Structure formats: structure tokens, C-alpha cells
Amino acid sequence: MILDEQAQTIRFLSRNAGGQSIAVETVRTHISTVILTADRAYKLKRAVRFPYLDFSTPKRRLAACNAELALNRRTAPGLYLAVRTITRGEDDALAFDGPGQLVDAVVEMRLFDQESLFDRMAKRKALTPALMTSLARRLAAFHDAAAISLDQGGADGIAAVLSINDASLRATGLVCDADADALERRFAAVLARHRPKLDARRDAGKVRRCHGDLMLRNICLIDGEPTPFDCIEFDEAIATIDVLYDLAFLLMDLWRRDGRDLANLIFNRYLDARDETDGLCLLPFFMAIRAIVRAHVTAAQAADLPDEQARPLLADSRGYVDLAQALLTDAKPFLLAIGGFSGSGKSALTASVASHLGPPPGARILSSDRIRKRLYDVAAEERLPEAAYDTAVSIAVYSALRQQAAATLAAGWSVVADAVFDRAPERTALEKIATDLDVARLGLWLEAPEATLLARVAARINDPSDATTCVLREQLRQGCGEMGWRRLESGGPLTALRDIALSECAVLARP
């Protein structure tokens, strides 16, 4: 609940922020008021208390500001400049950093273009695969460097989050008691099933001091780079979490905003950088928890607004509750293998279907091109020497693909395997994995006229595949042998090809 409107402090900031002229804009969230000036942003903690935070006193708000500065400099050092105190002098006037009584504190930040916020970019459809790839790699590196905790997180940590969610959701009145009780039971049942896995991942060092609030609104584009900011500073327990639970907020937010392909792309590029196969079964659960977080936070924002402004926020909150319910629905794994000569459109079809297979955020994509680059420890876009395509290396690539497919399917997660698969033994070996695991499967062989294949290969730029037109001609000369996979012409619209593939998968996935 709101304890203090802080009206005098906000007037002071609006008129005197940093000694500049009056503020150009004020942005308010459920826990902060941000005063924007010509080139600075001053972030004030609102004097509020919720089940998950307490900003009710000036000292608490100052401590939160100091923590925010230190923690956010991990990902956005150029944005976070200083903590400024607001004090009351003997003349009862407010001042920055004076010797008088502490009234409040703010975090001083470099101002950036608000249109570079990823939630606004998502609305404009301006988030690109290249940006998502860069973001996924930055997050993976951030999690690699984050401090490990062996005494927080795990099943007990998630249980505490569920308790906060339950209390906060009930406090908003968004759902009736009976629905809240049913949701609480459903989350408890899923937690009980995953308890050993959650504790095992904590013991393996997968619980770290993360961002904690990794939604699109807390990511911006700075100097062309995706930059997470505004991490959780008010509660170490809320932000010392499983790295996949941290990632899940971003995935859920994209999924909710109809950015499913982008969510799947981030998921796959992150897993290319960090092997989190053992935790895949937790992702829908984690995303569901994040959806309930957004539900009660959004509903709390609505509580301060007039009915006409609150109405759309409450509708949005109920949408998050519906999403959480859907995310808690189990789905069986599926193996889709997509083969074809270079330029046949395998990677395009793979990216198009992956988000539709299995539970959100969709299937794990295992690409022979990317696996080959990882074997050589280079970026996917970096070209390899010809020796990297020797027969022995290719055998190792297909072996690694099968091993990763087996581990992913065994973890209960769907796989899309993307490789040439022009040798029958490679196709048979992959099929055997699905058979041994009793997983439904489908093999697709993409075909296009030779002129189309050559044109596509010649036009590639910064592509994970290093295949040249000479390589393609050699593939065509050798052929693919007897083909037992479903042949599809790939010269038409991608959406039509995707729909055919998904229709075939749906038929084979039925019990």
C-alpha cells in the first residue's frame, strides 16, 4: 500500500533536478517515480510497502538506491552515475546532498531515448533476430560471471516466490478466492514434482545473483547494444535465483507480446552459449511464475488509477493469469529432423516451426553448422578453414548432434535437428534415438531446383553455414541415396511450408 505520496520531493525534483530546468517528463511505476530532464533521469523509490519489498522509510530508500547503483553497473555501467540524497535544511527547504535531515534519495542516471526501450521496440516490431542474438549472448556472459549461491534458491527459494505471488495476487482482488486456491494448488503440485531438480541445479552452481526483473521494459539499446538495467536491488533472495528463472521473465514477456519466434531464438542462442539441458523441464514452470508476477504487479499499478485507466491494466493482468494456466500444461517431446542440400531452406523452416513445437518457448534447435563452430570455439558467423569440413570432423559434428538430441529428448523437451542429412546412416541413427526414447518423430527432406539452391547459397552473408556453390555442386553430384523422409518442395512461401510441417507433426504426435 502507498504510505506517503512524497509530493514535496517530487515537486523539488521536477523543478530542480541536477540544477537544471524543470523536468521534461515524469514516469511512474508501482514502486518508482522517474523524473526525466534534458540529459538525466532521477529515479525515486516510492514510499510503498508490499509483501515483497519495503520502501517505507528514507533510510530504506537510500539503502535501495545504493544497492541499485552497484548492482546495475554490472550490466549498464554507462547508465548508472551516482546516488544523490535529498535533505531538508534549517529553512525547511529541500536540497541535493546537504547536511540536513535525510528526506529521500534518488539514483542519477544518464538519460537515453525512451523509444530504445525493448517493450516499445516490440510494439513497433523493431526487435530483430540480430538484436535478440546479441542479447542472448550478453545474458549468457552475465550469468557466467554472476556470483554463485549454494544456500539460496533451489526448491525452497521457489516456494518462497510462490508464497509471495499468492499473497500479492489475493491482495489485488484480481481473482476470486476459489480460483486463487486452485492456482495455488496447481503451482504446489508442479513444485513438488520439480523439487529434486531445483535443488540439484542449486547444488551444481546454477543459482546466482542474477538480474531478477529481466522483462523487455528493463532492456534498452545503448550504442547499438542490448543493455539490461533496473535489476532487483531490494531483496537478495528474489534476485539470487536459478539462471533459467532469470531468463524466463524475458521469454514470458516476449511470448505474451506475440514475439514467440524471438523468444525461441533467444532461448536457443542462450543454450548455445550455456548448456542448461538439465533444466529445460523447468522453463514452462518458471515462465508461469513470472506471468503471475506480472499479473499482480500490473494489478497493483491499476489500483492507483481512475477506472477508465485501470480497466485495460486489469484486463492485461487477467491475461497474464490465463497465460500462467496455459504454461502449466504438460506437453510430450517431439523430434523433427529437417534435411536437404545447402540452400534448400532448412534453417528458415527450422526457425519458423520451432516455437510451435512442445511447451513454450518451443523446441531446442540443434544445427550442425552451429555445432561445428562450437567445436572450433568460434562465433557462428565466423568462417572456418576447409579442414573443418573433413570427413572426420563431420562425423564428430553429427555424433555431437545426436548426443545433444538424445539428452534434450530425454529431458522431456522437443528437438528440431537441422543438418544436410544426405547420408542414410546419419538419418537412421537419429531416428533410432527417438525410437529408443519412445518419442514421436518426423523427417523432412527439402528440395528446390538447382538454380534456386545456387542462388541462395551465393547470396548468404554472415551465415552460420560456410557452404559454397562448389560444396553444393558436390552434394548434388553425390545425391542423398534412398530417401525415406517426407519430401517437400521449398520454393514456395515459407508460411505454407511451415503449416505443412506442423500439420504432419501434429498427426504423428497424437497418442
Side-chain angles (χ1 to χ4, degrees), residues 193-215:
R193 186 168 80 244
H194 289 317
R195 182 171 283 275
K197 175 67 67 179
L198 289 163
D199 287 342
R201 284 179 58 80
R202 177 201 58 208
D203 295 344
K206 299 298 180 71
V207 170
R208 303 189 174 209
R209 208 322 176 168
C210 295
H211 183 283
D213 201 17
L214 200 56
M215 55 183 170

mmCIF file with all atom_site columns, all heavy atoms in Angstrom, residues 193-215:
data_model
loop_
_atom_site.group_PDB
_atom_site.id
_atom_site.type_symbol
_atom_site.label_atom_id
_atom_site.label_alt_id
_atom_site.label_comp_id
_atom_site.label_asym_id
_atom_site.label_entity_id
_atom_site.label_seq_id
_atom_site.pdbx_PDB_ins_code
_atom_site.Cartn_x
_atom_site.Cartn_y
_atom_site.Cartn_z
_atom_site.occupancy
_atom_site.B_iso_or_equiv
_atom_site.pdbx_formal_charge
_atom_site.auth_seq_id
_atom_site.auth_comp_id
_atom_site.auth_asym_id
_atom_site.auth_atom_id
_atom_site.pdbx_PDB_model_num
ATOM 1   N N   . ARG A 1 193 ? 6.821  -31.825 -7.914  1.00 0.00 ? 193 ARG A N   1
ATOM 2   C CA  . ARG A 1 193 ? 7.401  -32.694 -8.937  1.00 0.00 ? 193 ARG A CA  1
ATOM 3   C C   . ARG A 1 193 ? 8.828  -32.279 -9.286  1.00 0.00 ? 193 ARG A C   1
ATOM 4   O O   . ARG A 1 193 ? 9.692  -33.129 -9.554  1.00 0.00 ? 193 ARG A O   1
ATOM 5   C CB  . ARG A 1 193 ? 6.513  -32.665 -10.189 1.00 0.00 ? 193 ARG A CB  1
ATOM 6   C CG  . ARG A 1 193 ? 6.947  -33.645 -11.252 1.00 0.00 ? 193 ARG A CG  1
ATOM 7   C CD  . ARG A 1 193 ? 5.895  -33.803 -12.328 1.00 0.00 ? 193 ARG A CD  1
ATOM 8   N NE  . ARG A 1 193 ? 5.912  -32.718 -13.311 1.00 0.00 ? 193 ARG A NE  1
ATOM 9   C CZ  . ARG A 1 193 ? 4.933  -31.861 -13.496 1.00 0.00 ? 193 ARG A CZ  1
ATOM 10  N NH1 . ARG A 1 193 ? 3.829  -31.936 -12.772 1.00 0.00 ? 193 ARG A NH1 1
ATOM 11  N NH2 . ARG A 1 193 ? 5.029  -30.920 -14.417 1.00 0.00 ? 193 ARG A NH2 1
ATOM 12  N N   . HIS A 1 194 ? 9.093  -30.983 -9.275  1.00 0.00 ? 194 HIS A N   1
ATOM 13  C CA  . HIS A 1 194 ? 10.405 -30.486 -9.699  1.00 0.00 ? 194 HIS A CA  1
ATOM 14  C C   . HIS A 1 194 ? 11.367 -30.226 -8.536  1.00 0.00 ? 194 HIS A C   1
ATOM 15  O O   . HIS A 1 194 ? 12.502 -29.801 -8.773  1.00 0.00 ? 194 HIS A O   1
ATOM 16  C CB  . HIS A 1 194 ? 10.233 -29.183 -10.484 1.00 0.00 ? 194 HIS A CB  1
ATOM 17  C CG  . HIS A 1 194 ? 9.615  -29.365 -11.832 1.00 0.00 ? 194 HIS A CG  1
ATOM 18  N ND1 . HIS A 1 194 ? 9.961  -30.381 -12.687 1.00 0.00 ? 194 HIS A ND1 1
ATOM 19  C CD2 . HIS A 1 194 ? 8.643  -28.647 -12.469 1.00 0.00 ? 194 HIS A CD2 1
ATOM 20  C CE1 . HIS A 1 194 ? 9.261  -30.293 -13.800 1.00 0.00 ? 194 HIS A CE1 1
ATOM 21  N NE2 . HIS A 1 194 ? 8.441  -29.260 -13.695 1.00 0.00 ? 194 HIS A NE2 1
ATOM 22  N N   . ARG A 1 195 ? 10.947 -30.477 -7.320  1.00 0.00 ? 195 ARG A N   1
ATOM 23  C CA  . ARG A 1 195 ? 11.778 -30.151 -6.164  1.00 0.00 ? 195 ARG A CA  1
ATOM 24  C C   . ARG A 1 195 ? 13.194 -30.742 -6.261  1.00 0.00 ? 195 ARG A C   1
ATOM 25  O O   . ARG A 1 195 ? 14.187 -30.014 -6.064  1.00 0.00 ? 195 ARG A O   1
ATOM 26  C CB  . ARG A 1 195 ? 11.082 -30.594 -4.877  1.00 0.00 ? 195 ARG A CB  1
ATOM 27  C CG  . ARG A 1 195 ? 11.842 -30.271 -3.603  1.00 0.00 ? 195 ARG A CG  1
ATOM 28  C CD  . ARG A 1 195 ? 11.017 -30.534 -2.360  1.00 0.00 ? 195 ARG A CD  1
ATOM 29  N NE  . ARG A 1 195 ? 10.027 -29.474 -2.139  1.00 0.00 ? 195 ARG A NE  1
ATOM 30  C CZ  . ARG A 1 195 ? 10.293 -28.342 -1.508  1.00 0.00 ? 195 ARG A CZ  1
ATOM 31  N NH1 . ARG A 1 195 ? 11.512 -28.105 -1.038  1.00 0.00 ? 195 ARG A NH1 1
ATOM 32  N NH2 . ARG A 1 195 ? 9.351  -27.434 -1.340  1.00 0.00 ? 195 ARG A NH2 1
ATOM 33  N N   . PRO A 1 196 ? 13.351 -32.030 -6.573  1.00 0.00 ? 196 PRO A N   1
ATOM 34  C CA  . PRO A 1 196 ? 14.717 -32.569 -6.656  1.00 0.00 ? 196 PRO A CA  1
ATOM 35  C C   . PRO A 1 196 ? 15.555 -31.877 -7.727  1.00 0.00 ? 196 PRO A C   1
ATOM 36  O O   . PRO A 1 196 ? 16.752 -31.619 -7.512  1.00 0.00 ? 196 PRO A O   1
ATOM 37  C CB  . PRO A 1 196 ? 14.487 -34.047 -6.990  1.00 0.00 ? 196 PRO A CB  1
ATOM 38  C CG  . PRO A 1 196 ? 13.104 -34.354 -6.512  1.00 0.00 ? 196 PRO A CG  1
ATOM 39  C CD  . PRO A 1 196 ? 12.337 -33.102 -6.734  1.00 0.00 ? 196 PRO A CD  1
ATOM 40  N N   . LYS A 1 197 ? 14.960 -31.575 -8.860  1.00 0.00 ? 197 LYS A N   1
ATOM 41  C CA  . LYS A 1 197 ? 15.700 -30.913 -9.941  1.00 0.00 ? 197 LYS A CA  1
ATOM 42  C C   . LYS A 1 197 ? 16.136 -29.506 -9.522  1.00 0.00 ? 197 LYS A C   1
ATOM 43  O O   . LYS A 1 197 ? 17.267 -29.081 -9.800  1.00 0.00 ? 197 LYS A O   1
ATOM 44  C CB  . LYS A 1 197 ? 14.818 -30.839 -11.187 1.00 0.00 ? 197 LYS A CB  1
ATOM 45  C CG  . LYS A 1 197 ? 15.413 -30.069 -12.351 1.00 0.00 ? 197 LYS A CG  1
ATOM 46  C CD  . LYS A 1 197 ? 16.618 -30.768 -12.935 1.00 0.00 ? 197 LYS A CD  1
ATOM 47  C CE  . LYS A 1 197 ? 16.255 -32.073 -13.605 1.00 0.00 ? 197 LYS A CE  1
ATOM 48  N NZ  . LYS A 1 197 ? 17.428 -32.724 -14.196 1.00 0.00 ? 197 LYS A NZ  1
ATOM 49  N N   . LEU A 1 198 ? 15.264 -28.774 -8.874  1.00 0.00 ? 198 LEU A N   1
ATOM 50  C CA  . LEU A 1 198 ? 15.596 -27.422 -8.426  1.00 0.00 ? 198 LEU A CA  1
ATOM 51  C C   . LEU A 1 198 ? 16.766 -27.432 -7.452  1.00 0.00 ? 198 LEU A C   1
ATOM 52  O O   . LEU A 1 198 ? 17.685 -26.603 -7.550  1.00 0.00 ? 198 LEU A O   1
ATOM 53  C CB  . LEU A 1 198 ? 14.370 -26.774 -7.783  1.00 0.00 ? 198 LEU A CB  1
ATOM 54  C CG  . LEU A 1 198 ? 13.228 -26.399 -8.734  1.00 0.00 ? 198 LEU A CG  1
ATOM 55  C CD1 . LEU A 1 198 ? 11.936 -26.172 -7.944  1.00 0.00 ? 198 LEU A CD1 1
ATOM 56  C CD2 . LEU A 1 198 ? 13.586 -25.146 -9.534  1.00 0.00 ? 198 LEU A CD2 1
ATOM 57  N N   . ASP A 1 199 ? 16.745 -28.368 -6.514  1.00 0.00 ? 199 ASP A N   1
ATOM 58  C CA  . ASP A 1 199 ? 17.835 -28.448 -5.540  1.00 0.00 ? 199 ASP A CA  1
ATOM 59  C C   . ASP A 1 199 ? 19.130 -28.921 -6.190  1.00 0.00 ? 199 ASP A C   1
ATOM 60  O O   . ASP A 1 199 ? 20.226 -28.444 -5.844  1.00 0.00 ? 199 ASP A O   1
ATOM 61  C CB  . ASP A 1 199 ? 17.441 -29.386 -4.398  1.00 0.00 ? 199 ASP A CB  1
ATOM 62  C CG  . ASP A 1 199 ? 16.402 -28.780 -3.465  1.00 0.00 ? 199 ASP A CG  1
ATOM 63  O OD1 . ASP A 1 199 ? 16.236 -27.540 -3.484  1.00 0.00 ? 199 ASP A OD1 1
ATOM 64  O OD2 . ASP A 1 199 ? 15.746 -29.539 -2.730  1.00 0.00 ? 199 ASP A OD2 1
ATOM 65  N N   . ALA A 1 200 ? 19.028 -29.839 -7.137  1.00 0.00 ? 200 ALA A N   1
ATOM 66  C CA  . ALA A 1 200 ? 20.226 -30.327 -7.822  1.00 0.00 ? 200 ALA A CA  1
ATOM 67  C C   . ALA A 1 200 ? 20.891 -29.208 -8.617  1.00 0.00 ? 200 ALA A C   1
ATOM 68  O O   . ALA A 1 200 ? 22.127 -29.103 -8.650  1.00 0.00 ? 200 ALA A O   1
ATOM 69  C CB  . ALA A 1 200 ? 19.860 -31.492 -8.742  1.00 0.00 ? 200 ALA A CB  1
ATOM 70  N N   . ARG A 1 201 ? 20.098 -28.362 -9.261  1.00 0.00 ? 201 ARG A N   1
ATOM 71  C CA  . ARG A 1 201 ? 20.677 -27.255 -10.020 1.00 0.00 ? 201 ARG A CA  1
ATOM 72  C C   . ARG A 1 201 ? 21.318 -26.224 -9.083  1.00 0.00 ? 201 ARG A C   1
ATOM 73  O O   . ARG A 1 201 ? 22.375 -25.676 -9.396  1.00 0.00 ? 201 ARG A O   1
ATOM 74  C CB  . ARG A 1 201 ? 19.606 -26.599 -10.889 1.00 0.00 ? 201 ARG A CB  1
ATOM 75  C CG  . ARG A 1 201 ? 19.275 -27.433 -12.125 1.00 0.00 ? 201 ARG A CG  1
ATOM 76  C CD  . ARG A 1 201 ? 18.198 -26.791 -12.967 1.00 0.00 ? 201 ARG A CD  1
ATOM 77  N NE  . ARG A 1 201 ? 18.539 -25.441 -13.419 1.00 0.00 ? 201 ARG A NE  1
ATOM 78  C CZ  . ARG A 1 201 ? 19.332 -25.158 -14.458 1.00 0.00 ? 201 ARG A CZ  1
ATOM 79  N NH1 . ARG A 1 201 ? 19.908 -26.147 -15.140 1.00 0.00 ? 201 ARG A NH1 1
ATOM 80  N NH2 . ARG A 1 201 ? 19.574 -23.910 -14.802 1.00 0.00 ? 201 ARG A NH2 1
ATOM 81  N N   . ARG A 1 202 ? 20.713 -25.983 -7.929  1.00 0.00 ? 202 ARG A N   1
ATOM 82  C CA  . ARG A 1 202 ? 21.348 -25.086 -6.955  1.00 0.00 ? 202 ARG A CA  1
ATOM 83  C C   . ARG A 1 202 ? 22.699 -25.660 -6.536  1.00 0.00 ? 202 ARG A C   1
ATOM 84  O O   . ARG A 1 202 ? 23.708 -24.946 -6.495  1.00 0.00 ? 202 ARG A O   1
ATOM 85  C CB  . ARG A 1 202 ? 20.449 -24.915 -5.731  1.00 0.00 ? 202 ARG A CB  1
ATOM 86  C CG  . ARG A 1 202 ? 21.073 -24.051 -4.614  1.00 0.00 ? 202 ARG A CG  1
ATOM 87  C CD  . ARG A 1 202 ? 20.418 -24.333 -3.285  1.00 0.00 ? 202 ARG A CD  1
ATOM 88  N NE  . ARG A 1 202 ? 20.526 -25.750 -2.934  1.00 0.00 ? 202 ARG A NE  1
ATOM 89  C CZ  . ARG A 1 202 ? 19.668 -26.408 -2.170  1.00 0.00 ? 202 ARG A CZ  1
ATOM 90  N NH1 . ARG A 1 202 ? 18.620 -25.785 -1.659  1.00 0.00 ? 202 ARG A NH1 1
ATOM 91  N NH2 . ARG A 1 202 ? 19.844 -27.686 -1.900  1.00 0.00 ? 202 ARG A NH2 1
ATOM 92  N N   . ASP A 1 203 ? 22.732 -26.945 -6.221  1.00 0.00 ? 203 ASP A N   1
ATOM 93  C CA  . ASP A 1 203 ? 23.976 -27.577 -5.765  1.00 0.00 ? 203 ASP A CA  1
ATOM 94  C C   . ASP A 1 203 ? 25.042 -27.597 -6.861  1.00 0.00 ? 203 ASP A C   1
ATOM 95  O O   . ASP A 1 203 ? 26.234 -27.683 -6.573  1.00 0.00 ? 203 ASP A O   1
ATOM 96  C CB  . ASP A 1 203 ? 23.687 -29.008 -5.292  1.00 0.00 ? 203 ASP A CB  1
ATOM 97  C CG  . ASP A 1 203 ? 22.783 -29.049 -4.061  1.00 0.00 ? 203 ASP A CG  1
ATOM 98  O OD1 . ASP A 1 203 ? 22.636 -27.991 -3.402  1.00 0.00 ? 203 ASP A OD1 1
ATOM 99  O OD2 . ASP A 1 203 ? 22.206 -30.111 -3.782  1.00 0.00 ? 203 ASP A OD2 1
ATOM 100 N N   . ALA A 1 204 ? 24.590 -27.514 -8.125  1.00 0.00 ? 204 ALA A N   1
ATOM 101 C CA  . ALA A 1 204 ? 25.531 -27.504 -9.245  1.00 0.00 ? 204 ALA A CA  1
ATOM 102 C C   . ALA A 1 204 ? 25.988 -26.091 -9.620  1.00 0.00 ? 204 ALA A C   1
ATOM 103 O O   . ALA A 1 204 ? 26.712 -25.912 -10.599 1.00 0.00 ? 204 ALA A O   1
ATOM 104 C CB  . ALA A 1 204 ? 24.886 -28.180 -10.464 1.00 0.00 ? 204 ALA A CB  1
ATOM 105 N N   . GLY A 1 205 ? 25.577 -25.087 -8.832  1.00 0.00 ? 205 GLY A N   1
ATOM 106 C CA  . GLY A 1 205 ? 26.022 -23.719 -9.084  1.00 0.00 ? 205 GLY A CA  1
ATOM 107 C C   . GLY A 1 205 ? 25.179 -22.965 -10.083 1.00 0.00 ? 205 GLY A C   1
ATOM 108 O O   . GLY A 1 205 ? 25.607 -21.917 -10.606 1.00 0.00 ? 205 GLY A O   1
ATOM 109 N N   . LYS A 1 206 ? 23.953 -23.424 -10.331 1.00 0.00 ? 206 LYS A N   1
ATOM 110 C CA  . LYS A 1 206 ? 23.083 -22.746 -11.291 1.00 0.00 ? 206 LYS A CA  1
ATOM 111 C C   . LYS A 1 206 ? 22.250 -21.638 -10.642 1.00 0.00 ? 206 LYS A C   1
ATOM 112 O O   . LYS A 1 206 ? 21.522 -20.932 -11.340 1.00 0.00 ? 206 LYS A O   1
ATOM 113 C CB  . LYS A 1 206 ? 22.154 -23.768 -11.960 1.00 0.00 ? 206 LYS A CB  1
ATOM 114 C CG  . LYS A 1 206 ? 22.882 -24.865 -12.738 1.00 0.00 ? 206 LYS A CG  1
ATOM 115 C CD  . LYS A 1 206 ? 23.688 -24.288 -13.881 1.00 0.00 ? 206 LYS A CD  1
ATOM 116 C CE  . LYS A 1 206 ? 24.419 -25.365 -14.663 1.00 0.00 ? 206 LYS A CE  1
ATOM 117 N NZ  . LYS A 1 206 ? 23.514 -26.188 -15.467 1.00 0.00 ? 206 LYS A NZ  1
ATOM 118 N N   . VAL A 1 207 ? 22.322 -21.483 -9.323  1.00 0.00 ? 207 VAL A N   1
ATOM 119 C CA  . VAL A 1 207 ? 21.673 -20.364 -8.630  1.00 0.00 ? 207 VAL A CA  1
ATOM 120 C C   . VAL A 1 207 ? 22.710 -19.269 -8.446  1.00 0.00 ? 207 VAL A C   1
ATOM 121 O O   . VAL A 1 207 ? 23.755 -19.485 -7.832  1.00 0.00 ? 207 VAL A O   1
ATOM 122 C CB  . VAL A 1 207 ? 21.083 -20.798 -7.273  1.00 0.00 ? 207 VAL A CB  1
ATOM 123 C CG1 . VAL A 1 207 ? 20.644 -19.586 -6.460  1.00 0.00 ? 207 VAL A CG1 1
ATOM 124 C CG2 . VAL A 1 207 ? 19.918 -21.753 -7.482  1.00 0.00 ? 207 VAL A CG2 1
ATOM 125 N N   . ARG A 1 208 ? 22.418 -18.081 -8.986  1.00 0.00 ? 208 ARG A N   1
ATOM 126 C CA  . ARG A 1 208 ? 23.392 -16.994 -8.983  1.00 0.00 ? 208 ARG A CA  1
ATOM 127 C C   . ARG A 1 208 ? 22.703 -15.651 -8.699  1.00 0.00 ? 208 ARG A C   1
ATOM 128 O O   . ARG A 1 208 ? 21.485 -15.550 -8.742  1.00 0.00 ? 208 ARG A O   1
ATOM 129 C CB  . ARG A 1 208 ? 24.120 -16.932 -10.333 1.00 0.00 ? 208 ARG A CB  1
ATOM 130 C CG  . ARG A 1 208 ? 24.808 -18.263 -10.656 1.00 0.00 ? 208 ARG A CG  1
ATOM 131 C CD  . ARG A 1 208 ? 25.700 -18.209 -11.847 1.00 0.00 ? 208 ARG A CD  1
ATOM 132 N NE  . ARG A 1 208 ? 26.419 -19.473 -11.979 1.00 0.00 ? 208 ARG A NE  1
ATOM 133 C CZ  . ARG A 1 208 ? 27.621 -19.607 -12.515 1.00 0.00 ? 208 ARG A CZ  1
ATOM 134 N NH1 . ARG A 1 208 ? 28.265 -18.535 -12.972 1.00 0.00 ? 208 ARG A NH1 1
ATOM 135 N NH2 . ARG A 1 208 ? 28.196 -20.785 -12.593 1.00 0.00 ? 208 ARG A NH2 1
ATOM 136 N N   . ARG A 1 209 ? 23.507 -14.635 -8.404  1.00 0.00 ? 209 ARG A N   1
ATOM 137 C CA  . ARG A 1 209 ? 22.958 -13.306 -8.152  1.00 0.00 ? 209 ARG A CA  1
ATOM 138 C C   . ARG A 1 209 ? 22.647 -12.682 -9.518  1.00 0.00 ? 209 ARG A C   1
ATOM 139 O O   . ARG A 1 209 ? 23.489 -12.075 -10.163 1.00 0.00 ? 209 ARG A O   1
ATOM 140 C CB  . ARG A 1 209 ? 23.948 -12.451 -7.379  1.00 0.00 ? 209 ARG A CB  1
ATOM 141 C CG  . ARG A 1 209 ? 23.369 -11.340 -6.485  1.00 0.00 ? 209 ARG A CG  1
ATOM 142 C CD  . ARG A 1 209 ? 22.183 -10.644 -7.068  1.00 0.00 ? 209 ARG A CD  1
ATOM 143 N NE  . ARG A 1 209 ? 21.596 -9.648  -6.154  1.00 0.00 ? 209 ARG A NE  1
ATOM 144 C CZ  . ARG A 1 209 ? 20.700 -8.765  -6.547  1.00 0.00 ? 209 ARG A CZ  1
ATOM 145 N NH1 . ARG A 1 209 ? 20.275 -8.754  -7.794  1.00 0.00 ? 209 ARG A NH1 1
ATOM 146 N NH2 . ARG A 1 209 ? 20.195 -7.910  -5.686  1.00 0.00 ? 209 ARG A NH2 1
ATOM 147 N N   . CYS A 1 210 ? 21.423 -12.842 -9.955  1.00 0.00 ? 210 CYS A N   1
ATOM 148 C CA  . CYS A 1 210 ? 21.011 -12.502 -11.309 1.00 0.00 ? 210 CYS A CA  1
ATOM 149 C C   . CYS A 1 210 ? 20.434 -11.090 -11.391 1.00 0.00 ? 210 CYS A C   1
ATOM 150 O O   . CYS A 1 210 ? 20.561 -10.302 -10.468 1.00 0.00 ? 210 CYS A O   1
ATOM 151 C CB  . CYS A 1 210 ? 19.985 -13.523 -11.795 1.00 0.00 ? 210 CYS A CB  1
ATOM 152 S SG  . CYS A 1 210 ? 20.639 -15.213 -11.966 1.00 0.00 ? 210 CYS A SG  1
ATOM 153 N N   . HIS A 1 211 ? 19.805 -10.792 -12.501 1.00 0.00 ? 211 HIS A N   1
ATOM 154 C CA  . HIS A 1 211 ? 19.123 -9.506  -12.689 1.00 0.00 ? 211 HIS A CA  1
ATOM 155 C C   . HIS A 1 211 ? 17.840 -9.472  -11.877 1.00 0.00 ? 211 HIS A C   1
ATOM 156 O O   . HIS A 1 211 ? 17.580 -8.540  -11.127 1.00 0.00 ? 211 HIS A O   1
ATOM 157 C CB  . HIS A 1 211 ? 18.826 -9.292  -14.177 1.00 0.00 ? 211 HIS A CB  1
ATOM 158 C CG  . HIS A 1 211 ? 18.199 -7.979  -14.505 1.00 0.00 ? 211 HIS A CG  1
ATOM 159 N ND1 . HIS A 1 211 ? 16.862 -7.708  -14.282 1.00 0.00 ? 211 HIS A ND1 1
ATOM 160 C CD2 . HIS A 1 211 ? 18.715 -6.848  -15.049 1.00 0.00 ? 211 HIS A CD2 1
ATOM 161 C CE1 . HIS A 1 211 ? 16.595 -6.487  -14.666 1.00 0.00 ? 211 HIS A CE1 1
ATOM 162 N NE2 . HIS A 1 211 ? 17.691 -5.933  -15.138 1.00 0.00 ? 211 HIS A NE2 1
ATOM 163 N N   . GLY A 1 212 ? 17.004 -10.491 -12.032 1.00 0.00 ? 212 GLY A N   1
ATOM 164 C CA  . GLY A 1 212 ? 15.815 -10.646 -11.213 1.00 0.00 ? 212 GLY A CA  1
ATOM 165 C C   . GLY A 1 212 ? 14.544 -10.058 -11.779 1.00 0.00 ? 212 GLY A C   1
ATOM 166 O O   . GLY A 1 212 ? 13.448 -10.440 -11.373 1.00 0.00 ? 212 GLY A O   1
ATOM 167 N N   . ASP A 1 213 ? 14.656 -9.125  -12.748 1.00 0.00 ? 213 ASP A N   1
ATOM 168 C CA  . ASP A 1 213 ? 13.467 -8.458  -13.291 1.00 0.00 ? 213 ASP A CA  1
ATOM 169 C C   . ASP A 1 213 ? 13.653 -8.246  -14.790 1.00 0.00 ? 213 ASP A C   1
ATOM 170 O O   . ASP A 1 213 ? 13.443 -7.168  -15.321 1.00 0.00 ? 213 ASP A O   1
ATOM 171 C CB  . ASP A 1 213 ? 13.259 -7.115  -12.586 1.00 0.00 ? 213 ASP A CB  1
ATOM 172 C CG  . ASP A 1 213 ? 11.825 -6.615  -12.708 1.00 0.00 ? 213 ASP A CG  1
ATOM 173 O OD1 . ASP A 1 213 ? 10.935 -7.409  -13.036 1.00 0.00 ? 213 ASP A OD1 1
ATOM 174 O OD2 . ASP A 1 213 ? 11.606 -5.420  -12.463 1.00 0.00 ? 213 ASP A OD2 1
ATOM 175 N N   . LEU A 1 214 ? 14.013 -9.303  -15.471 1.00 0.00 ? 214 LEU A N   1
ATOM 176 C CA  . LEU A 1 214 ? 14.516 -9.228  -16.841 1.00 0.00 ? 214 LEU A CA  1
ATOM 177 C C   . LEU A 1 214 ? 13.373 -9.250  -17.856 1.00 0.00 ? 214 LEU A C   1
ATOM 178 O O   . LEU A 1 214 ? 13.210 -10.189 -18.626 1.00 0.00 ? 214 LEU A O   1
ATOM 179 C CB  . LEU A 1 214 ? 15.468 -10.397 -17.088 1.00 0.00 ? 214 LEU A CB  1
ATOM 180 C CG  . LEU A 1 214 ? 16.460 -10.291 -18.227 1.00 0.00 ? 214 LEU A CG  1
ATOM 181 C CD1 . LEU A 1 214 ? 17.332 -9.045  -18.083 1.00 0.00 ? 214 LEU A CD1 1
ATOM 182 C CD2 . LEU A 1 214 ? 17.332 -11.533 -18.260 1.00 0.00 ? 214 LEU A CD2 1
ATOM 183 N N   . MET A 1 215 ? 12.566 -8.198  -17.838 1.00 0.00 ? 215 MET A N   1
ATOM 184 C CA  . MET A 1 215 ? 11.499 -8.066  -18.826 1.00 0.00 ? 215 MET A CA  1
ATOM 185 C C   . MET A 1 215 ? 11.911 -7.029  -19.863 1.00 0.00 ? 215 MET A C   1
ATOM 186 O O   . MET A 1 215 ? 12.906 -6.317  -19.699 1.00 0.00 ? 215 MET A O   1
ATOM 187 C CB  . MET A 1 215 ? 10.186 -7.687  -18.155 1.00 0.00 ? 215 MET A CB  1
ATOM 188 C CG  . MET A 1 215 ? 10.240 -6.461  -17.308 1.00 0.00 ? 215 MET A CG  1
ATOM 189 S SD  . MET A 1 215 ? 8.653  -6.170  -16.486 1.00 0.00 ? 215 MET A SD  1
ATOM 190 C CE  . MET A 1 215 ? 9.101  -4.872  -15.355 1.00 0.00 ? 215 MET A CE  1
#
